Amino acid sequence: MKKPLLFLLTAALVSITPSGANSEPEKASLGQPGQKEYKAGVEAYQKKDYKAAEGHFRKSVQEGNHNPDVYLYSAHTFMALGQYSQAYQTYEIVTKSFKGSKQAKTAEQGMEATRSKAGAAANASAPPAAPAAAPVAVPAAPGAVGLATRILVIPPMKGHQPCLPSTIKAVNDAVAAVPPHLRKLLDDSGASIVLSPNIIDRWPDTVKELDEEQEGETMAEAGGRIYGKEMCVYERAKIRGSMNLKEARAPKLIKQTVLNMCFQVVDDMQNISKSPELRKVYELDKQNVPDSLREKLATFIKEDDWGPRETCSELTGSMLGGSDDYTEDLYRCFPNTKKWLKAWLKI
């Protein structure tokens, strides 16, 4: 696959995007996770319809696109919309998650441009989206290596409660449950986990840019997101119209979230969900999903790569000790996929 190229911004875009460079759309198959939304976002961005572009890029990430270009374009879009704190956060994600890449160098330029624009707009020199408090490393067991030593907890803000010991234990238990051959991939890749009460505890300015009128889930209601190889886990969802948070998610759900993310990070490296053998049994199972469950399981039976990817990550999480509202239905509807994964996971 041809790698994305970086090119200089045209003069017409210099005033609204970071100086330096921009990313061309990756020439990837539209069947890959999030690629249709990514392509639509790029087209909207090039037409300067930045609000539409932001929505497409957000959906692309939600559908499993973890390519650096989608984050870089998202950051450019936030800049164009004047959402400097969100732009800064997104550029920062690119610099940390894709170190050494051309996109990371462009993101560094974007962070500088964001500081300048935010400072001029708010008469302030501090970066608008720096984390409010330094993360605290979770003590690792003696002899622990790799991912187990890269679990961080963000202290609470906004009067929120700190992450519960049971939540931290669930994260540790999830990492311990990952089969050895997958753990080695995660350990060697530099993958990490950042746990916080909510996304706004890590990036407080995010709350200013939440669209709480939208029908779908906001970033402050999600259980987590993946940025490159950084897995961000959020213990509680924000209550709309308030700075308060809901009750902590159950340990089983936290464990499911972490294991789901671990599979997706490995899948980005190994393309497990694209295996022809896996696809064969997945398609067989998908044909037998009853009409009564097709709406509930819509994410898992999508026609693009996201369907099998999400099915595999959900099944992996539950087979390794997690659980959520989809577990029993997926077990019942995807028995052959589960059997294939169980053999591949060596459990």
Side-chain angles (χ1 to χ4, degrees):
M1 181 184 297
K2 185 178 179 180
K3 292 184 178 180
L5 300 175
L6 298 177
F7 60 89
L8 294 177
L9 289 173
T10 62
L13 293 178
V14 168
S15 64
I16 56 174
T17 58
S19 61
N22 192 1
S23 294
E24 288 184 345
E26 183 182 12
K27 295 181 179 178
S29 167
L30 292 184
Q32 294 181 4
Q35 283 299 317
K36 289 182 180 178
E37 290 291 347
Y38 174 62
K39 184 175 184 292
V42 171
E43 291 174 352
Y45 180 89
Q46 292 172 342
K47 294 176 181 177
K48 300 186 180 182
D49 186 354
Y50 301 118
K51 186 172 179 61
E54 188 279 325
H56 287 302
F57 293 136
R58 173 163 38 83
K59 289 178 182 177
S60 180
V61 172
Q62 290 173 344
E63 291 181 1
N65 185 358
H66 303 312
N67 188 286
D69 293 308
V70 70
Y71 296 112
L72 194 57
Y73 256 119
S74 293
H76 292 343
T77 302
F78 287 129
M79 277 287 282
L81 290 169
Q83 297 178 6
Y84 301 125
S85 63
Q86 194 74 353
Y88 189 93
Q89 292 171 26
T90 311
Y91 283 130
E92 186 178 43
I93 286 164
V94 177
T95 62
K96 291 183 177 180
S97 299
F98 305 99
K99 292 180 180 178
S101 68
K102 293 181 179 179
Q103 291 91 336
K105 292 180 180 178
T106 301
E108 289 175 0
Q109 297 172 356
M111 290 171 72
E112 289 298 322
T114 305
R115 289 190 185 98
S116 299
K117 286 183 176 289
N123 193 27
S125 58
V136 178
V138 174
V145 297
L147 180 59
T149 67
R150 297 191 293 265
I151 302 173
L152 304 175
V153 179
I154 302 294
M157 294 286 291
K158 311 292 184 182
H160 298 160
Q161 296 180 28
C163 291
L164 297 173
S166 58
T167 298
I168 297 173
K169 182 178 184 299
V171 173
N172 277 317
D173 289 347
V175 172
V178 176
H181 62 297
L182 300 190
R183 265 293 298 278
K184 188 175 189 314
L185 290 170
L186 293 167
D187 290 346
D188 294 347
S189 73
S192 62
I193 297 172
V194 181
L195 172 66
S196 57
N198 187 271
I199 190 173
I200 63 176
D201 293 278
R202 186 176 188 188
W203 290 302
D205 284 349
T206 301
V207 72
K208 300 175 184 177
E209 293 150 8
L210 293 175
D211 180 5
E212 295 193 326
E213 298 300 320
Q214 71 181 51
E215 293 184 7
E217 184 179 70
T218 70
M219 290 188 295
E221 294 166 336
R225 297 186 78 176
I226 301 173
Y227 300 105
K229 292 182 177 63
E230 181 180 275
M231 296 171 271
C232 298
V233 181
Y234 308 128
E235 182 186 53
R236 304 165 187 260
K238 178 182 174 295
I239 299 172
R240 293 195 180 193
S242 167
M243 293 303 294
N244 296 328
L245 304 182
K246 297 181 180 180
E247 291 296 316
R249 293 179 168 96
K252 279 272 190 181
L253 183 53
I254 295 292
K255 191 173 183 180
Q256 174 75 12
T257 299
V258 174
L259 290 166
N260 182 313
M261 289 180 169
C262 285
F263 177 88
Q264 291 196 41
V265 171
V266 171
D267 195 40
D268 285 337
M269 296 185 282
Q270 298 284 304
N271 291 322
I272 305 150
S273 64
K274 295 179 182 178
S275 162
E277 294 82 6
L278 179 279
R279 289 297 181 93
K280 183 177 180 179
V281 295
Y282 166 80
E283 291 296 335
L284 177 64
D285 286 337
K286 188 172 75 170
Q287 292 175 11
N288 295 320
V289 174
D291 291 342
S292 60
L293 286 174
R294 296 189 76 82
E295 182 176 354
K296 179 180 180 181
L297 301 182
T299 297
F300 306 99
I301 58 177
K302 291 184 70 173
E303 294 300 323
D304 59 19
D305 286 345
W306 183 240
R309 176 183 170 91
E310 187 62 17
T311 300
C312 288
S313 60
E314 280 285 314
L315 286 171
T316 296
S318 58
M319 285 192 290
L320 294 176
S323 179
D324 62 16
D325 291 341
Y326 299 106
T327 298
E328 293 303 321
D329 290 326
L330 288 177
Y331 278 6
R332 184 165 62 254
C333 295
F334 290 88
N336 296 297
T337 306
K338 179 186 174 186
K339 181 179 179 181
W340 188 94
L341 276 172
K342 188 173 182 179
W344 185 83
L345 291 167
K346 300 177 183 178
I347 58 174

